[in-house]
Structure formats: structure tokens, C-alpha cells
Amino acid sequence: MSHQVQRYLDQVRGEFAGVDDGELASYIPELTRVDPHGFGVALSSSDGFVYESGDAATEFTIQSISKPFTYALALESVGCAAVDAKIGVEPSGEAFNEISVDKVTKRPKNPMINAGAIAAVSLVPGSSPDERFALIQDYYSAFAGRRLHIDSEVYASEKTSGDRNRAIAYMLASFGVLDDDPDEVLDVYFRQCSLKVTATDLARMAATLARNGMNPLTGRRATDAPVVRRTLSVMVTCGMYDAAGDWVSAVGMPAKSGVGGGILAVLPGQLGIGTYSPLLDSRGNSVRSVLLCRKLSEELGLHFLTVARDSRSTLRAIYEPRDDIRVYEVHGDLLFCGAEQVVRTVDRGCDEFAVGILDVTRVDDIDDAAKHLLSGMGTTLRERGKVGLIVDPDRMVIGAGSEFEDFRFSTVQDAVDAAAAFLGVEGSDR
Ligand code: GLU
């Protein structure tokens, strides 16, 4: 464990521990019975190490933080097109429990408001509420890395006091958004909201999203990358009730909050945060959790739009081992923008050499767009009367059986020798 990080987390939590603004959610009596002073935070690194501070092990109900996960399960089960046919992805600007649908499409505006969340439940496969809920429970548990259970008192109370949600579900049925019995769908929705989690569970669930669906604790895949991308997108625009804009500007992490007092925040590729403090502001977000996330983001540079480094560092070196032969050595992680820069630099220098050699030996990772650009470079050079060779011992760019295989070498020396031989032949022809 890093004592520095632990000390820092304790200190930041301590800073806000005295804040007692806000109210407990009171639409059901069970939520007013919690300790208003409860305050915990957990931070999971992307390799699954968890730092905890305060009441990180206190259980509370997940409530609306369930919404992104059921949406993800619906996406995974029936596919994006079928989900889009029933639920939009636009921020609503309305209260989370508004009895409304989009005026034109008659679909719920997004899956983070109750209407969209109830529609998402109906897309989870299952021939009975029990079957549907079992899938949901398994799914959330895979993200948390432990079995999650229901708070049966909260569930019973949600069910007896859920008239507003009933109104929403029946409205959705009347618009053809719900194909199943509204009460059965609602029963599952109430159960999912009543699942108990801790701040640590939320941090682990967030870290699983941060890892593109791979749970860093269990090493098991909970979902796949396209599902994560879509889910995080909706969390960015709609995850924090009516405060989504403020949150993105100040904190800048895809997140979801719930009236149980939790917030789950994700920094893609990096970490997951879970917080708990049940006193809520007027928008329904946990007061101390928001303050804490804001501070962590500012001080640790967690805003997802922070530009960490630009792609100039892609080109490590350019040198000429012999007259007429120029080597471009690239390194690091190559995405479209870095590869575009390499291709443009080679293009610009093209009149100054006869053979261009691209050395990708030190590339750590490369995506498809970059691969496509770099593998086409040889063809572009040939069109301009040049020779393009590539040093690609690990087949980062040139896959087995590629049409460019003849231009691939394992070392720079081999490529330079081949280029020299070629230039020699060229020379004797002249
Ligand atoms: N069970 C709550 C409801 O649907 C969830 C509220 C929330 O966390 O926003 O009303």
C-alpha cells in the first residue's frame, strides 16, 4: 500500500467530514433511518488495488447508481439498435422521476432517468421477474467482484410507495415502450435499486468500467468495450441528475449518483472512485461526495479532458545510416493522431531520400486506425518513386500473410542492407 496516497485520502476526507449540509432522502422511511454522518470513500487503481477511508465498508442501497449497469446489461443482451429503439441518449433537463417521454419519439430521453431505467429493465431477457432480476444481480456482482444482496425492507418500501414509478411504467406501456407487464418490470426495478453496496464496491465497479469491462480484482470480464463506451457516454451527459453540466466542468469523470448517498465515478483507463455520504443537495446528489470528488479531481488531475501529453513524442528519432536512406524511428502507443504525424513527416521529407525505413520496434501498442495508416505508407512512397521498408519484428503493423510482407524486416541493419543492395542495383543500372 502507498502510505502517501492513503494519508492524502484520509486528509481530504477529513477536510469535508464536518460539512453537514443537505438532507436525507425521505421519499421512503427506510432511507431516513441511516446515520447522516456516515462518510466514506474508496479509490481503486486500474490494477485493482483499493484505498479506503472512513465508512467505506458501510452498506447502503445502490438506488440510481444501478441505472448504468442495467443499461449496460440491456446493451449487451439485445444490442445497441434494439436498445436505441426504446431509449434515447439525450440529457433531459428534467427531474429524474419526471413522468415524461421525448415529445417526438415517445421514448424516454435517456437511461439515467427513471423512465429510461425502467425501459432498460424491460430489455433484460427473462421469462419472469425472478429470472430477470437474477441476471441483473449476477451482472452487478461481476462488476463488484462479490455477491451483492438486497435490502428487503428498502425493497418492500420502494414497492409500496412507488406510485410515481408506476405512473411512469404505465405511461411507457401505453406508448409501446414496455412490452411486458408494467408491474412485473417495476418489481425488478425496485429490487435493483435496493441492492446493497459499499463505497468500496462502487470503486470496484467503477474500476471495472475504467478497465473497459475487465474486473481488475477477479480478472474476469464483466462486459465488453463497446458496451462500456456507450454506458460511460451516457453517464457523462446524464449521470448526475440535473447537475451533469456542473459536474463535467468541475470534476470531469463519467459518474452516477443515487439517493442512497453514493457516487460512482470513472476515469477511463485509470481508476474508479466510490463515495458514500447520505446527506443530499437539492438535486439529489450527495453533498460531501460531490465536494470530495471535486477536490480529488482538481488536485490529482483526474478530469477526463485533461490533455496528458501531445502526440509529438511519437517520433523518437530520424537519422540517415547511409546516403539516400532515412530511418524514422517511432515509439510508445500509436493511435490515429500519432500515426498521422509520422506519415506526414515522412511525406514531407520524401524528396530527400530514396529509401525510407519505418522502425516500429519500440511501439508498445497500436490501434487499427494507426496500423492502417502505417501499413499503407510503403505504397504511398512507391507511388512517389521511392522505396518504403518497415522494421517490424513483433508484427505490430504487418500481420502474417500481409501483402507488404516483402518489405518487412526484423532489424534496422537488415533493412539498411536490403536498401543498400537495392540502391546498388539501381546505381549499376544507370
Ligand atoms: N428508487 C428510486 C426511485 O426510482 C431511485 C432514486 C434515485 O436514486 O434517483 O425513485
Short mmCIF file of all heavy atoms in Angstrom, two decimals, residues 148-199:
data_model
loop_
_atom_site.label_atom_id
_atom_site.label_comp_id
_atom_site.label_asym_id
_atom_site.label_seq_id
_atom_site.Cartn_x
_atom_site.Cartn_y
_atom_site.Cartn_z
N LEU A 148 -23.68 -9.34 -4.45
CA LEU A 148 -24.46 -8.26 -3.84
C LEU A 148 -25.85 -8.78 -3.46
O LEU A 148 -26.42 -9.61 -4.17
CB LEU A 148 -24.59 -7.09 -4.82
CG LEU A 148 -23.28 -6.47 -5.30
CD1 LEU A 148 -23.55 -5.32 -6.28
CD2 LEU A 148 -22.43 -5.96 -4.12
N HIS A 149 -26.37 -8.26 -2.35
CA HIS A 149 -27.68 -8.74 -1.87
C HIS A 149 -28.65 -7.58 -1.69
O HIS A 149 -28.23 -6.42 -1.54
CB HIS A 149 -27.50 -9.47 -0.54
CG HIS A 149 -26.63 -10.67 -0.67
ND1 HIS A 149 -27.06 -11.86 -1.23
CD2 HIS A 149 -25.32 -10.85 -0.37
CE1 HIS A 149 -26.06 -12.72 -1.24
NE2 HIS A 149 -24.98 -12.14 -0.74
N ILE A 150 -29.91 -7.96 -1.59
CA ILE A 150 -30.98 -6.96 -1.49
C ILE A 150 -31.22 -6.51 -0.05
O ILE A 150 -31.08 -7.31 0.88
CB ILE A 150 -32.28 -7.59 -2.06
CG1 ILE A 150 -32.43 -7.25 -3.52
CG2 ILE A 150 -33.47 -7.22 -1.28
CD1 ILE A 150 -33.82 -7.45 -4.04
N ASP A 151 -31.56 -5.26 0.13
CA ASP A 151 -32.09 -4.80 1.42
C ASP A 151 -33.61 -4.97 1.31
O ASP A 151 -34.29 -4.17 0.63
CB ASP A 151 -31.71 -3.33 1.62
CG ASP A 151 -32.20 -2.78 2.95
OD1 ASP A 151 -33.31 -3.17 3.38
OD2 ASP A 151 -31.48 -1.95 3.53
N SER A 152 -34.13 -5.99 1.96
CA SER A 152 -35.54 -6.33 1.71
C SER A 152 -36.51 -5.29 2.26
O SER A 152 -37.59 -5.11 1.73
CB SER A 152 -35.87 -7.73 2.21
OG SER A 152 -35.22 -7.97 3.40
N GLU A 153 -36.09 -4.57 3.30
CA GLU A 153 -37.01 -3.53 3.82
C GLU A 153 -37.11 -2.36 2.84
O GLU A 153 -38.19 -1.83 2.59
CB GLU A 153 -36.51 -3.03 5.18
CG GLU A 153 -36.82 -4.04 6.27
CD GLU A 153 -36.16 -3.70 7.57
OE1 GLU A 153 -35.72 -2.55 7.76
OE2 GLU A 153 -36.07 -4.61 8.42
N VAL A 154 -35.96 -1.97 2.30
CA VAL A 154 -36.00 -0.88 1.31
C VAL A 154 -36.81 -1.32 0.10
O VAL A 154 -37.66 -0.58 -0.41
CB VAL A 154 -34.56 -0.46 0.90
CG1 VAL A 154 -34.59 0.50 -0.29
CG2 VAL A 154 -33.85 0.20 2.08
N TYR A 155 -36.59 -2.55 -0.33
CA TYR A 155 -37.33 -3.07 -1.49
C TYR A 155 -38.84 -3.01 -1.24
O TYR A 155 -39.62 -2.48 -2.07
CB TYR A 155 -36.87 -4.49 -1.80
CG TYR A 155 -37.82 -5.30 -2.64
CD1 TYR A 155 -38.22 -4.85 -3.91
CD2 TYR A 155 -38.33 -6.51 -2.18
CE1 TYR A 155 -39.10 -5.60 -4.68
CE2 TYR A 155 -39.21 -7.25 -2.94
CZ TYR A 155 -39.59 -6.80 -4.19
OH TYR A 155 -40.47 -7.52 -4.94
N ALA A 156 -39.27 -3.50 -0.08
CA ALA A 156 -40.71 -3.53 0.22
C ALA A 156 -41.26 -2.11 0.25
O ALA A 156 -42.35 -1.84 -0.28
CB ALA A 156 -40.93 -4.22 1.57
N SER A 157 -40.49 -1.21 0.81
CA SER A 157 -40.95 0.16 0.93
C SER A 157 -40.99 0.87 -0.43
O SER A 157 -41.92 1.62 -0.73
CB SER A 157 -40.00 0.88 1.88
OG SER A 157 -40.51 2.08 2.26
N GLU A 158 -39.96 0.62 -1.27
CA GLU A 158 -39.96 1.19 -2.63
C GLU A 158 -41.23 0.74 -3.35
O GLU A 158 -41.85 1.50 -4.08
CB GLU A 158 -38.75 0.69 -3.45
CG GLU A 158 -37.40 1.13 -2.96
CD GLU A 158 -36.97 2.49 -3.50
OE1 GLU A 158 -37.71 3.09 -4.29
OE2 GLU A 158 -35.90 2.96 -3.08
N LYS A 159 -41.58 -0.51 -3.12
CA LYS A 159 -42.70 -1.10 -3.84
C LYS A 159 -44.02 -0.49 -3.37
O LYS A 159 -44.87 -0.14 -4.19
CB LYS A 159 -42.68 -2.62 -3.59
CG LYS A 159 -43.45 -3.37 -4.63
CD LYS A 159 -43.13 -4.84 -4.60
CE LYS A 159 -44.15 -5.54 -5.45
NZ LYS A 159 -43.66 -6.70 -6.12
N THR A 160 -44.17 -0.34 -2.07
CA THR A 160 -45.46 0.20 -1.61
C THR A 160 -45.59 1.69 -1.90
O THR A 160 -46.70 2.18 -2.10
CB THR A 160 -45.67 -0.01 -0.08
OG1 THR A 160 -44.46 0.27 0.58
CG2 THR A 160 -46.11 -1.41 0.23
N SER A 161 -44.46 2.38 -1.96
CA SER A 161 -44.59 3.84 -2.14
C SER A 161 -44.29 4.28 -3.58
O SER A 161 -44.11 5.46 -3.84
CB SER A 161 -43.64 4.56 -1.18
OG SER A 161 -42.32 4.23 -1.55
N GLY A 162 -44.24 3.33 -4.50
CA GLY A 162 -43.73 3.65 -5.84
C GLY A 162 -44.76 4.14 -6.85
O GLY A 162 -44.65 3.81 -8.04
N ASP A 163 -45.74 4.94 -6.41
CA ASP A 163 -46.79 5.34 -7.34
C ASP A 163 -46.27 6.14 -8.54
O ASP A 163 -46.74 5.98 -9.65
CB ASP A 163 -47.85 6.17 -6.61
CG ASP A 163 -48.74 5.28 -5.76
OD1 ASP A 163 -48.67 4.04 -5.96
OD2 ASP A 163 -49.47 5.80 -4.90
N ARG A 164 -45.31 6.96 -8.26
CA ARG A 164 -44.78 7.78 -9.36
C ARG A 164 -44.12 6.88 -10.42
O ARG A 164 -44.31 7.06 -11.62
CB ARG A 164 -43.76 8.76 -8.79
CG ARG A 164 -43.54 9.88 -9.72
CD ARG A 164 -42.65 10.94 -9.13
NE ARG A 164 -42.45 11.92 -10.16
CZ ARG A 164 -43.08 13.08 -10.21
NH1 ARG A 164 -43.95 13.40 -9.29
NH2 ARG A 164 -42.83 13.92 -11.19
N ASN A 165 -43.35 5.92 -9.95
CA ASN A 165 -42.72 4.99 -10.90
C ASN A 165 -43.77 4.15 -11.61
O ASN A 165 -43.62 3.80 -12.78
CB ASN A 165 -41.70 4.11 -10.17
CG ASN A 165 -40.43 4.89 -9.86
OD1 ASN A 165 -39.99 5.71 -10.67
ND2 ASN A 165 -39.85 4.66 -8.70
N ARG A 166 -44.87 3.84 -10.90
CA ARG A 166 -45.96 3.10 -11.55
C ARG A 166 -46.57 3.95 -12.65
O ARG A 166 -46.83 3.47 -13.75
CB ARG A 166 -47.04 2.71 -10.52
CG ARG A 166 -46.86 1.28 -10.02
CD ARG A 166 -48.00 0.84 -9.12
NE ARG A 166 -47.85 1.39 -7.78
CZ ARG A 166 -47.02 0.89 -6.86
NH1 ARG A 166 -46.29 -0.17 -7.12
NH2 ARG A 166 -46.92 1.46 -5.68
N ALA A 167 -46.74 5.23 -12.37
CA ALA A 167 -47.29 6.13 -13.39
C ALA A 167 -46.38 6.13 -14.62
O ALA A 167 -46.84 6.07 -15.76
CB ALA A 167 -47.41 7.54 -12.82
N ILE A 168 -45.06 6.17 -14.35
CA ILE A 168 -44.10 6.19 -15.46
C ILE A 168 -44.20 4.89 -16.27
O ILE A 168 -44.27 4.90 -17.50
CB ILE A 168 -42.66 6.39 -14.93
CG1 ILE A 168 -42.51 7.79 -14.33
CG2 ILE A 168 -41.63 6.16 -16.02
CD1 ILE A 168 -41.19 8.05 -13.60
N ALA A 169 -44.25 3.76 -15.55
CA ALA A 169 -44.26 2.47 -16.25
C ALA A 169 -45.53 2.30 -17.09
O ALA A 169 -45.46 1.83 -18.24
CB ALA A 169 -44.14 1.34 -15.23
N TYR A 170 -46.65 2.71 -16.54
CA TYR A 170 -47.89 2.58 -17.33
C TYR A 170 -47.89 3.52 -18.53
O TYR A 170 -48.37 3.18 -19.61
CB TYR A 170 -49.12 2.78 -16.43
CG TYR A 170 -49.47 1.48 -15.72
CD1 TYR A 170 -48.88 1.14 -14.50
CD2 TYR A 170 -50.35 0.56 -16.30
CE1 TYR A 170 -49.15 -0.06 -13.87
CE2 TYR A 170 -50.63 -0.65 -15.68
CZ TYR A 170 -50.03 -0.95 -14.46
OH TYR A 170 -50.30 -2.14 -13.86
N MET A 171 -47.31 4.70 -18.33
CA MET A 171 -47.21 5.62 -19.48
C MET A 171 -46.34 4.97 -20.57
O MET A 171 -46.70 4.99 -21.75
CB MET A 171 -46.57 6.93 -19.01
CG MET A 171 -46.23 7.86 -20.15
SD MET A 171 -45.12 9.19 -19.63
CE MET A 171 -43.64 8.29 -19.23
N LEU A 172 -45.22 4.35 -20.15
CA LEU A 172 -44.34 3.71 -21.14
C LEU A 172 -45.07 2.58 -21.86
O LEU A 172 -44.93 2.40 -23.07
CB LEU A 172 -43.08 3.16 -20.46
CG LEU A 172 -42.11 4.19 -19.87
CD1 LEU A 172 -40.94 3.50 -19.19
CD2 LEU A 172 -41.60 5.14 -20.96
N ALA A 173 -45.87 1.83 -21.12
CA ALA A 173 -46.63 0.73 -21.74
C ALA A 173 -47.59 1.31 -22.78
O ALA A 173 -47.72 0.78 -23.89
CB ALA A 173 -47.38 -0.05 -20.67
N SER A 174 -48.21 2.43 -22.44
CA SER A 174 -49.19 3.00 -23.38
C SER A 174 -48.52 3.48 -24.66
O SER A 174 -49.12 3.51 -25.71
CB SER A 174 -49.98 4.12 -22.71
OG SER A 174 -49.21 5.31 -22.74
N PHE A 175 -47.24 3.87 -24.57
CA PHE A 175 -46.51 4.31 -25.77
C PHE A 175 -45.81 3.15 -26.48
O PHE A 175 -45.06 3.37 -27.42
CB PHE A 175 -45.48 5.38 -25.40
CG PHE A 175 -46.09 6.72 -25.09
CD1 PHE A 175 -45.73 7.41 -23.95
CD2 PHE A 175 -47.03 7.29 -25.95
CE1 PHE A 175 -46.28 8.65 -23.65
CE2 PHE A 175 -47.58 8.53 -25.66
CZ PHE A 175 -47.22 9.21 -24.51
N GLY A 176 -46.01 1.96 -26.01
CA GLY A 176 -45.39 0.80 -26.66
C GLY A 176 -43.91 0.65 -26.33
O GLY A 176 -43.19 -0.12 -26.99
N VAL A 177 -43.42 1.37 -25.32
CA VAL A 177 -42.00 1.22 -24.94
C VAL A 177 -41.81 -0.04 -24.10
O VAL A 177 -40.81 -0.75 -24.23
CB VAL A 177 -41.50 2.47 -24.17
CG1 VAL A 177 -40.08 2.25 -23.66
CG2 VAL A 177 -41.55 3.70 -25.06
N LEU A 178 -42.79 -0.33 -23.25
CA LEU A 178 -42.72 -1.57 -22.45
C LEU A 178 -43.59 -2.63 -23.11
O LEU A 178 -44.78 -2.41 -23.33
CB LEU A 178 -43.27 -1.35 -21.03
CG LEU A 178 -42.49 -0.53 -20.02
CD1 LEU A 178 -43.08 -0.76 -18.63
CD2 LEU A 178 -41.03 -0.87 -20.04
N ASP A 179 -42.99 -3.77 -23.40
CA ASP A 179 -43.79 -4.86 -23.98
C ASP A 179 -44.36 -5.76 -22.90
O ASP A 179 -45.30 -6.50 -23.13
CB ASP A 179 -42.93 -5.69 -24.94
CG ASP A 179 -42.49 -4.84 -26.12
OD1 ASP A 179 -43.27 -3.94 -26.50
OD2 ASP A 179 -41.38 -5.04 -26.64
N ASP A 180 -43.74 -5.71 -21.71
CA ASP A 180 -44.17 -6.63 -20.65
C ASP A 180 -45.09 -5.94 -19.65
O ASP A 180 -45.26 -4.72 -19.69
CB ASP A 180 -42.93 -7.16 -19.91
CG ASP A 180 -42.03 -7.91 -20.85
OD1 ASP A 180 -42.56 -8.64 -21.71
OD2 ASP A 180 -40.80 -7.76 -20.75
N ASP A 181 -45.59 -6.75 -18.73
CA ASP A 181 -46.47 -6.23 -17.69
C ASP A 181 -45.73 -5.15 -16.86
O ASP A 181 -44.67 -5.44 -16.29
CB ASP A 181 -46.88 -7.39 -16.78
CG ASP A 181 -47.71 -6.89 -15.63
OD1 ASP A 181 -48.76 -6.29 -15.90
OD2 ASP A 181 -47.31 -7.08 -14.46
N PRO A 182 -46.25 -3.93 -16.81
CA PRO A 182 -45.53 -2.83 -16.13
C PRO A 182 -45.22 -3.16 -14.66
O PRO A 182 -44.15 -2.80 -14.17
CB PRO A 182 -46.50 -1.65 -16.22
CG PRO A 182 -47.44 -1.97 -17.31
CD PRO A 182 -47.51 -3.46 -17.44
N ASP A 183 -46.14 -3.85 -13.97
CA ASP A 183 -45.88 -4.12 -12.55
C ASP A 183 -44.73 -5.12 -12.38
O ASP A 183 -43.96 -5.02 -11.43
CB ASP A 183 -47.16 -4.64 -11.87
CG ASP A 183 -48.13 -3.49 -11.66
OD1 ASP A 183 -47.70 -2.45 -11.13
OD2 ASP A 183 -49.30 -3.61 -12.08
N GLU A 184 -44.65 -6.06 -13.31
CA GLU A 184 -43.54 -7.03 -13.21
C GLU A 184 -42.19 -6.35 -13.49
O GLU A 184 -41.19 -6.64 -12.84
CB GLU A 184 -43.77 -8.18 -14.20
CG GLU A 184 -44.95 -9.05 -13.80
CD GLU A 184 -44.92 -10.41 -14.47
OE1 GLU A 184 -44.09 -10.62 -15.38
OE2 GLU A 184 -45.73 -11.26 -14.06
N VAL A 185 -42.20 -5.45 -14.48
CA VAL A 185 -40.95 -4.73 -14.79
C VAL A 185 -40.54 -3.87 -13.59
O VAL A 185 -39.38 -3.85 -13.17
CB VAL A 185 -41.14 -3.85 -16.06
CG1 VAL A 185 -39.90 -2.99 -16.30
CG2 VAL A 185 -41.43 -4.71 -17.27
N LEU A 186 -41.55 -3.20 -13.01
CA LEU A 186 -41.27 -2.34 -11.85
C LEU A 186 -40.73 -3.13 -10.67
O LEU A 186 -39.85 -2.65 -9.96
CB LEU A 186 -42.55 -1.64 -11.40
CG LEU A 186 -42.90 -0.37 -12.16
CD1 LEU A 186 -44.25 0.14 -11.67
CD2 LEU A 186 -41.83 0.70 -11.96
N ASP A 187 -41.29 -4.31 -10.48
CA ASP A 187 -40.82 -5.13 -9.36
C ASP A 187 -39.31 -5.35 -9.47
O ASP A 187 -38.57 -5.25 -8.48
CB ASP A 187 -41.58 -6.46 -9.36
CG ASP A 187 -41.12 -7.32 -8.19
OD1 ASP A 187 -41.25 -6.85 -7.05
OD2 ASP A 187 -40.59 -8.43 -8.43
N VAL A 188 -38.84 -5.61 -10.69
CA VAL A 188 -37.40 -5.83 -10.89
C VAL A 188 -36.65 -4.51 -10.67
O VAL A 188 -35.59 -4.48 -10.04
CB VAL A 188 -37.13 -6.39 -12.31
CG1 VAL A 188 -35.64 -6.55 -12.54
CG2 VAL A 188 -37.86 -7.71 -12.51
N TYR A 189 -37.21 -3.42 -11.15
CA TYR A 189 -36.57 -2.11 -10.97
C TYR A 189 -36.42 -1.79 -9.47
O TYR A 189 -35.36 -1.35 -9.02
CB TYR A 189 -37.39 -1.02 -11.68
CG TYR A 189 -36.89 0.37 -11.41
CD1 TYR A 189 -35.68 0.82 -11.94
CD2 TYR A 189 -37.61 1.26 -10.61
CE1 TYR A 189 -35.20 2.09 -11.66
CE2 TYR A 189 -37.15 2.54 -10.34
CZ TYR A 189 -35.94 2.95 -10.87
OH TYR A 189 -35.46 4.22 -10.60
N PHE A 190 -37.48 -2.04 -8.69
CA PHE A 190 -37.39 -1.77 -7.24
C PHE A 190 -36.33 -2.66 -6.60
O PHE A 190 -35.61 -2.24 -5.70
CB PHE A 190 -38.74 -2.00 -6.56
CG PHE A 190 -39.80 -1.01 -6.99
CD1 PHE A 190 -41.10 -1.42 -7.26
CD2 PHE A 190 -39.50 0.34 -7.11
CE1 PHE A 190 -42.08 -0.51 -7.65
CE2 PHE A 190 -40.48 1.26 -7.51
CZ PHE A 190 -41.77 0.83 -7.78
N ARG A 191 -36.27 -3.89 -7.05
CA ARG A 191 -35.25 -4.80 -6.48
C ARG A 191 -33.85 -4.31 -6.81
O ARG A 191 -32.95 -4.33 -5.97
CB ARG A 191 -35.43 -6.22 -7.03
CG ARG A 191 -36.62 -6.94 -6.43
CD ARG A 191 -36.47 -8.42 -6.67
NE ARG A 191 -37.61 -8.95 -7.41
CZ ARG A 191 -37.73 -10.21 -7.74
NH1 ARG A 191 -36.77 -11.08 -7.46
NH2 ARG A 191 -38.79 -10.64 -8.40
N GLN A 192 -33.64 -3.91 -8.07
CA GLN A 192 -32.27 -3.49 -8.44
C GLN A 192 -31.85 -2.24 -7.64
O GLN A 192 -30.70 -2.12 -7.23
CB GLN A 192 -32.15 -3.26 -9.95
CG GLN A 192 -32.66 -1.92 -10.46
CD GLN A 192 -32.34 -1.66 -11.92
OE1 GLN A 192 -32.36 -2.58 -12.74
NE2 GLN A 192 -32.06 -0.42 -12.27
N CYS A 193 -32.80 -1.32 -7.41
CA CYS A 193 -32.48 -0.12 -6.63
C CYS A 193 -32.14 -0.47 -5.18
O CYS A 193 -31.46 0.29 -4.49
CB CYS A 193 -33.65 0.86 -6.62
SG CYS A 193 -33.92 1.69 -8.19
N SER A 194 -32.63 -1.61 -4.71
CA SER A 194 -32.46 -1.99 -3.30
C SER A 194 -31.25 -2.87 -3.05
O SER A 194 -31.06 -3.36 -1.93
CB SER A 194 -33.72 -2.72 -2.81
OG SER A 194 -34.87 -1.97 -3.12
N LEU A 195 -30.45 -3.09 -4.06
CA LEU A 195 -29.23 -3.88 -3.84
C LEU A 195 -28.26 -3.07 -2.97
O LEU A 195 -28.10 -1.86 -3.15
CB LEU A 195 -28.57 -4.23 -5.18
CG LEU A 195 -29.22 -5.41 -5.91
CD1 LEU A 195 -28.74 -5.50 -7.35
CD2 LEU A 195 -28.95 -6.73 -5.19
N LYS A 196 -27.64 -3.78 -2.02
CA LYS A 196 -26.75 -3.08 -1.08
C LYS A 196 -25.31 -3.08 -1.61
O LYS A 196 -24.80 -4.10 -2.06
CB LYS A 196 -26.76 -3.80 0.28
CG LYS A 196 -28.06 -3.61 1.03
CD LYS A 196 -28.01 -4.31 2.36
CE LYS A 196 -28.13 -5.81 2.22
NZ LYS A 196 -28.22 -6.54 3.46
N VAL A 197 -24.69 -1.91 -1.51
CA VAL A 197 -23.27 -1.78 -1.90
C VAL A 197 -22.54 -0.98 -0.84
O VAL A 197 -23.17 -0.34 0.01
CB VAL A 197 -23.11 -1.05 -3.26
CG1 VAL A 197 -23.56 -1.88 -4.43
CG2 VAL A 197 -23.85 0.31 -3.25
N THR A 198 -21.23 -0.98 -0.92
CA THR A 198 -20.40 -0.10 -0.09
C THR A 198 -19.64 0.84 -1.04
O THR A 198 -19.64 0.62 -2.26
CB THR A 198 -19.36 -0.93 0.69
OG1 THR A 198 -18.48 -1.54 -0.28
CG2 THR A 198 -20.00 -2.01 1.54
N ALA A 199 -18.99 1.84 -0.47
CA ALA A 199 -18.17 2.73 -1.31
C ALA A 199 -17.09 1.90 -2.02
O ALA A 199 -16.75 2.16 -3.18
CB ALA A 199 -17.55 3.83 -0.45
#
